[in-house]
Amino acid sequence: QAQLVESGGGLVQPGGSLRLSCAASGFNPDYYGIGWFRQAPGKEREGVACVRSRYASTSYADSVKGRFTISRDNAGNTAYLQMNSLKSEDTAVYYCAADRRVLGLCSLSPTVYTEWGQGTQVTVSS
């Protein structure tokens, strides 16, 4: 059974860093992509970063470029989102999701993702 579990969220001061982890099971790591999304209260879910190792493809939202880095471990079963220089506007629930398409570069559109984790809260506040 496919499963995604996020961890690593918490409270951090502006300018601080956090690393989120997404442990995936039930997928073929050679074929699926991973995306990180976030949703703040009253706002739509937003694509933050994605990776598809098979195509050496990554993509980032403009709002996080240069601050966030997405990566995967060698086995491909765990994805990470390193978040640096955090701002108050980064406060949201962060979700990871799996993209099971066989072809194509990674996408920040939530419509291509078929499995989702339960989310982890990130709060940036002094």
Side-chain angles (χ1 to χ4, degrees), residues 71-124:
S71 62
R72 297 175 73 161
D73 65 3
N74 289 337
N77 292 329
T78 302
Y80 304 96
L81 185 67
Q82 178 67 43
M83 305 186 295
N84 299 328
S85 301
L86 283 162
K87 306 175 181 179
S88 58
E89 50 263 45
D90 295 317
T91 296
V93 177
Y94 283 71
Y95 301 88
C96 66
D99 168 10
R100 295 210 196 203
R101 294 174 300 150
V102 175
L103 301 176
L105 301 178
C106 79
S107 172
L108 294 178
S109 170
T111 60
V112 306
Y113 292 84
T114 53
E115 280 86 12
W116 293 79
Q118 81 288 351
T120 185
Q121 176 70 46
V122 172
T123 302
V124 184

Side-chain angles (χ1 to χ4, degrees), residues 3-114:
Q3 188 175 19
L4 296 166
V5 179
E6 304 97 334
S7 61
L11 173 65
V12 63
Q13 292 186 343
S17 299
L18 280 176
R19 189 176 81 157
L20 304 183
S21 299
C22 173
S25 60
F27 301 97
N28 183 336
D30 291 333
Y31 288 98
Y32 72 93
I34 286 288
W36 282 99
F37 296 80
R38 65 186 181 187
Q39 189 165 20
K43 294 187 177 181
E44 292 187 355
R45 189 165 295 189
E46 172 191 21
V48 174
C50 62
V51 60
R52 292 201 76 182
S53 300
R54 190 183 189 200
Y55 299 97
S57 169
T58 59
S59 185
Y60 296 90
D62 288 343
S63 58
V64 306
K65 280 181 182 177
R67 300 189 299 122
F68 290 12
T69 303
I70 190 170
S71 62
R72 297 175 73 161
D73 65 3
N74 289 337
N77 292 329
T78 302
Y80 304 96
L81 185 67
Q82 178 67 43
M83 305 186 295
N84 299 328
S85 301
L86 283 162
K87 306 175 181 179
S88 58
E89 50 263 45
D90 295 317
T91 296
V93 177
Y94 283 71
Y95 301 88
C96 66
D99 168 10
R100 295 210 196 203
R101 294 174 300 150
V102 175
L103 301 176
L105 301 178
C106 79
S107 172
L108 294 178
S109 170
T111 60
V112 306
Y113 292 84
T114 53

